[in-house]
Amino acid sequence: RQFQKMVRDERYKLIEYRVQGVSREQLFDLIEDPWELNDLSTDTGYAERIASLHSLLPSERSPSCV
């Protein structure tokens, strides 16, 4: 199943998606990088921010993801 989900707070935007069975995520700092060119998701310094934003993502079974 393919999907794309996104959540943001006042500064960061997290995108999670799966295409052809490959899951991926991207994290952007919307203040420092408004064009979303620098993916921060692999920087371990953002692990807590990613976890926090993940908790706000709707589950795959929620009506907002249908």
Side-chain angles (χ1 to χ4, degrees):
R1 177 174 167 197
Q2 299 186 67
F3 69 85
Q4 181 173 348
K5 299 185 280 185
M6 184 275 296
V7 66
R8 62 169 287 175
D9 63 15
E10 64 282 348
R11 181 164 190 161
Y12 296 96
K13 177 178 179 179
L14 178 69
I15 304 167
E16 181 181 289
Y17 56 94
R18 181 170 44 213
V19 177
Q20 297 179 346
V22 178
S23 295
R24 188 137 147 113
E25 65 184 13
Q26 294 178 303
L27 178 71
F28 299 102
D29 181 334
L30 299 174
I31 293 174
E32 295 296 321
D33 180 23
W35 295 102
E36 301 177 17
L37 300 174
N38 185 25
D39 178 9
L40 303 170
S41 65
T42 59
D43 185 328
T44 57
Y46 292 94
E48 286 185 34
R49 174 62 60 189
I50 290 171
S52 173
L53 289 168
H54 262 289
S55 72
L56 301 175
L57 280 171
S59 71
E60 289 184 53
R61 295 176 187 248
S62 77
S64 63
C65 286
V66 175

